[in-house]
Amino acid sequence: MARQERALRTRRLILEAAASVFDECGYERATIGEVVARAGVTRGAVYFHFASKRDLAQGVIEEQFEAEAVPERPCKLQEFVDTGMVVTHLAPIDPLVSAGVRLSVDQAAEGHLGFDAAPGWIARLERLLVAAGERGELLPHVVPADTAGLMTASWVGVQLQSQRFTGRADLADRVATLYRHLMPSIAVPGVLACLDLAPDRGARVYAEMVAARGGSAPEGATATREAGEPAE
Amino acid sequence: MARQERALRTRRLILEAAASVFDECGYERATIGEVVARAGVTRGAVYFHFASKRDLAQGVIEEQFEAEAVPERPCKLQEFVDTGMVVTHLAPIDPLVSAGVRLSVDQAAEGHLGFDAAPGWIARLERLLVAAGERGELLPHVVPADTAGLMTASWVGVQLQSQRFTGRADLADRVATLYRHLMPSIAVPGVLACLDLAPDRGARVYAEMVAARGGSAPEGATATREAGEPAE
């Protein structure tokens, strides 16, 4: 394995370990020692890639945007839906997504250290809404930035509620309810009637993404690890 | 002042002090000593009313449901909207509401200690949706429990986002955007057209509530303290 490839693999391993620690303990209680132990690397290796716990948290937030986007569709609002539904599918099984949510929400990190996945998700959704608008898919009153912000905020709230009430067992159902409530005020009727908003949509799209890359997960792509597959 | 009245006033004073401490520090960092200092009462007085920090947190959560409900309206969906909008108006100015949100969301309290205002809000909203359904105000597919849960979850997510991005300066606008997006999939068209979803709706309804009680806040009612009025 070339040296650069090995370094990337180690970096990824460290980020996955850090994600699982942040996800379980929160930012404040997380320690670099625990990340070292879980990653099975040396302390020196961690510090080679990340100068501090803060850097590790920032790395976890950013890593989720390294993942490939959902497959392109003729209907951009379906891509908008798919984006949220694939993340919904991954949240309970991918520590990077789960830790990203927790770090973003966690208010215990006094002074709001600024770990926030929301701006990245809002920007991604806003681009899709703008594209949808150019294709005539949006109702005339929709303001892409506002609707992207609302979608992101509501998803976070639904995720917290599902986590609290059922340990995320009903997350896909609750997110489907969210889309069923929001899309009628976003999509023109002809598009609305064609949208797939079923609770298992995220799982199906993700399976399609895995199949498209031949069933194997390229390194360095968050959303591309197989569900349940342990980190190497 | 009668002894019981004095005890209620002290209890309220302690809860307001506790709310401001939880709101600023979160559950884990909050101390009873700080509550004693802010309430200006003796440590003995705090322990007379509350056995532990845990009891104080539970008291803060419950106190917000002691507040009067919004005024009754012929249209139950307007009451549904008003309920969320008055809380939106109070969140930045009433520590009991603000601390209720923080305690409910705060995941730093390891093991999820079970402080959660959400079930109370969901139950209140569900009752209003059921009443709305009996009056023919709901679209046929609406399931009151699901929609009440979604509304509560989305509100929490919007509140977090507003707090994070603007220190709640745009909370009323963001919540109005939430209602504009959700109500078209809840209300029948004739009702939808009559709903007041303006960002200042919460402030107006709250002013009406204050005026209805002669402009003075009865003790022991969370949502009945005047905006900005310091605790006595």
Side-chain angles (χ1 to χ4, degrees):
Chain A
M1 202 189 296
R3 186 191 290 182
Q4 201 189 349
E5 195 186 328
R6 208 160 49 223
L8 277 176
R9 181 183 281 264
T10 303
R11 185 176 185 280
R12 171 73 187 184
L13 211 61
I14 294 166
L15 281 177
E16 288 179 352
S20 75
V21 175
F22 287 132
D23 193 31
E24 280 169 41
C25 311
Y27 180 77
E28 287 197 275
R29 293 182 178 201
T31 64
I32 291 196
E34 183 61 26
V35 175
V36 167
R38 292 200 194 181
V41 299
T42 63
R43 186 170 283 263
V46 171
Y47 280 110
F48 175 78
H49 290 280
F50 302 96
S52 62
K53 183 165 85 167
R54 198 190 155 83
D55 262 19
L56 272 171
Q58 197 55 46
V60 166
I61 293 284
E62 285 165 12
E63 188 71 3
Q64 63 190 298
F65 297 108
E66 294 301 310
E68 78 222 272
V70 298
E72 287 201 24
R73 310 287 180 195
C75 171
K76 292 298 147 185
L77 280 182
Q78 186 67 59
E79 270 184 66
F80 171 84
V81 171
D82 290 352
T83 299
M85 290 218 169
V86 166
V87 176
T88 301
H89 175 67
L90 290 174
I93 56 179
D94 187 330
L96 277 159
V97 173
S98 185
V101 177
R102 173 150 191 186
L103 286 170
S104 302
V105 167
D106 217 334
Q107 298 178 57
E110 292 300 331
H112 301 294
L113 290 167
F115 308 129
D116 197 349
W121 288 113
I122 294 170
R124 185 174 284 197
L125 293 177
E126 186 180 350
R127 280 193 300 274
L128 288 169
L129 288 173
V130 168
E134 288 164 359
R135 283 164 179 74
E137 295 173 18
L138 296 186
L139 290 169
H141 64 274
V142 173
V143 178
D146 290 354
T147 299
L150 173 65
M151 187 68 231
T152 305
S154 297
W155 186 89
V156 168
V158 167
Q159 203 284 146
L160 284 171
Q161 194 175 79
S162 170
Q163 191 172 21
R164 189 63 174 268
F165 288 173
T166 68
R168 290 195 182 118
D170 64 1
L171 180 59
D173 288 322
R174 286 181 186 265
V175 170
T177 299
L178 169 63
Y179 281 104
R180 276 203 312 277
H181 278 76
L182 286 184
M183 297 315 294
S185 61
I186 298 173
V188 297
V191 169
L192 182 63
C194 300
L195 292 176
D196 180 352
L197 305 177
D200 68 342
R201 173 79 188 170
R204 282 185 278 116
V205 173
Y206 184 65
E208 184 185 335
M209 290 162 71
V210 171
R213 57 175 187 259
S216 80
E219 291 176 76
T222 301
T224 58
R225 199 162 67 243
E226 299 269 11
E229 182 188 316
E232 296 169 78
Chain B
M1 203 191 296
R3 188 190 290 183
Q4 201 189 348
E5 194 185 329
R6 208 161 46 224
L8 276 176
R9 180 184 281 262
T10 303
R11 187 177 185 278
R12 171 74 187 181
L13 210 60
I14 294 165
L15 281 176
E16 288 179 351
S20 76
V21 176
F22 287 132
D23 193 30
E24 280 170 39
C25 311
Y27 180 77
E28 288 197 274
R29 294 183 176 197
T31 64
I32 292 198
E34 183 61 26
V35 175
V36 167
R38 290 199 196 183
V41 300
T42 64
R43 186 170 282 262
V46 172
Y47 280 109
F48 175 79
H49 289 280
F50 302 95
S52 62
K53 184 165 84 167
R54 200 189 153 84
D55 263 19
L56 272 171
Q58 196 55 47
V60 167
I61 293 284
E62 285 164 12
E63 188 72 2
Q64 62 191 300
F65 296 108
E66 295 300 310
E68 78 221 275
V70 299
E72 287 201 25
R73 309 287 180 194
C75 171
K76 292 298 147 185
L77 281 182
Q78 186 67 59
E79 269 182 68
F80 171 84
V81 170
D82 290 353
T83 299
M85 289 220 170
V86 166
V87 176
T88 301
H89 175 66
L90 290 174
I93 56 178
D94 188 331
L96 277 157
V97 173
S98 184
V101 177
R102 172 149 192 186
L103 286 170
S104 302
V105 167
D106 218 332
Q107 298 178 57
E110 291 302 328
H112 301 295
L113 291 166
F115 309 128
D116 198 350
W121 288 113
I122 293 170
R124 185 173 283 197
L125 293 178
E126 187 181 350
R127 280 195 299 275
L128 288 169
L129 288 173
V130 168
E134 288 163 0
R135 283 164 179 75
E137 296 173 16
L138 296 186
L139 290 169
H141 65 274
V142 174
V143 178
D146 290 355
T147 299
L150 173 65
M151 187 68 231
T152 305
S154 297
W155 187 89
V156 168
V158 167
Q159 202 284 146
L160 284 171
Q161 194 174 80
S162 170
Q163 191 172 19
R164 190 64 174 269
F165 288 173
T166 68
R168 290 194 181 118
D170 64 2
L171 180 59
D173 288 322
R174 286 181 186 266
V175 170
T177 299
L178 169 64
Y179 281 104
R180 276 202 312 275
H181 278 76
L182 285 183
M183 297 315 294
S185 61
I186 297 173
V188 296
V191 169
L192 182 63
C194 299
L195 292 176
D196 180 353
L197 305 177
D200 68 342
R201 173 78 189 172
R204 281 185 279 118
V205 173
Y206 184 66
E208 183 185 336
M209 290 162 70
V210 171
R213 56 174 188 261
S216 81
E219 290 177 76
T222 302
T224 57
R225 203 161 67 243
E226 300 268 13
E229 182 188 316
E232 297 171 78

